[in-house]
Amino acid sequence: MSATIRRLTAADLDAVMRVQAACYPPALNEERALFARRLAAAPETAWLAESAGTACAYLFCYPSRPGGITPLGGDFSPSRSATALYLHDLAVAPAVAGQGLGGRLVATAVSTAQRLGLVQASLVAVRDAEKFWQAQGFQRAGELTAEQQALLAGYGPAAVYMQRPLVA
């Protein structure tokens, strides 16, 4: 598949909402206004994949600290002393699933994080995504605090907090 990856802009939010609706059950859908706030908070770490002029995947991230978990429906709070990149939302439209776009978006995020001098990436894997994230170099985090466990529970029973080092 010939797809391009570029920075996401506010003009892309309607397309983001369509991809999200195609990928997630209603309980995991987040509001357009929230996506707009997240994009405003961290515009340098949000990307869109397009094929034939149609949005087909996106990834929202932000500079964070290790161990941070953004609640489902929560705003981004980029850290001024960030050492990690938090990958909050990756969605690939079912019509293009399995064609490598998710991996390309993750590679873009990792490259950006390394350029920014960040040393770790972290995320919450939802539904059946743990194997995908393992293939991207992420592993389950060790023991979680009670606060982290409570935040993770908001994503459903199959949610897993995962981390990946970005330096050798």
Side-chain angles (χ1 to χ4, degrees):
M1 148 179 251
S2 175
T4 58
I5 294 175
R6 62 172 175 78
R7 285 254 179 95
L8 203 142
T9 70
D12 299 317
L13 291 176
D14 288 338
V16 165
M17 299 307 293
R18 287 190 294 275
V19 173
Q20 176 189 235
C23 294
Y24 295 122
L28 292 179
N29 283 308
E30 296 178 305
E31 296 180 5
R32 186 184 194 284
L34 179 61
F35 278 104
R37 291 192 306 272
R38 289 174 175 168
L39 180 60
E44 69 285 350
T45 54
W47 298 274
L48 184 79
E50 294 179 308
S51 180
T54 300
C56 51
Y58 65 82
L59 176 58
F60 279 83
C61 310
Y62 71 95
S64 184
R65 303 285 299 162
I69 297 176
T70 298
L72 184 65
D75 285 304
F76 287 174
S77 297
S79 173
R80 291 175 197 231
S81 58
T83 57
L85 184 67
Y86 184 82
L87 287 70
H88 179 74
D89 190 5
L90 170 66
V92 177
V96 296
Q99 297 181 25
L101 281 179
R104 287 180 56 199
L105 283 163
V106 172
T108 299
V110 166
S111 175
T112 298
Q114 290 169 326
R115 184 177 47 75
L116 293 172
L118 304 178
V119 298
Q120 181 178 303
S122 59
L123 58 91
V124 173
V126 298
R127 300 171 63 203
D128 297 323
E130 185 175 1
K131 287 186 182 193
F132 167 81
W133 290 110
Q134 286 174 336
Q136 308 307 311
F138 289 82
Q139 298 298 319
R140 282 181 181 237
E143 293 215 16
L144 301 179
T145 66
E147 180 183 356
Q148 288 171 314
Q149 290 173 3
L151 291 168
L152 191 61
Y155 287 92
V160 177
Y161 184 63
M162 303 181 79
Q163 298 174 317
R164 171 189 167 171
L166 298 177
V167 293

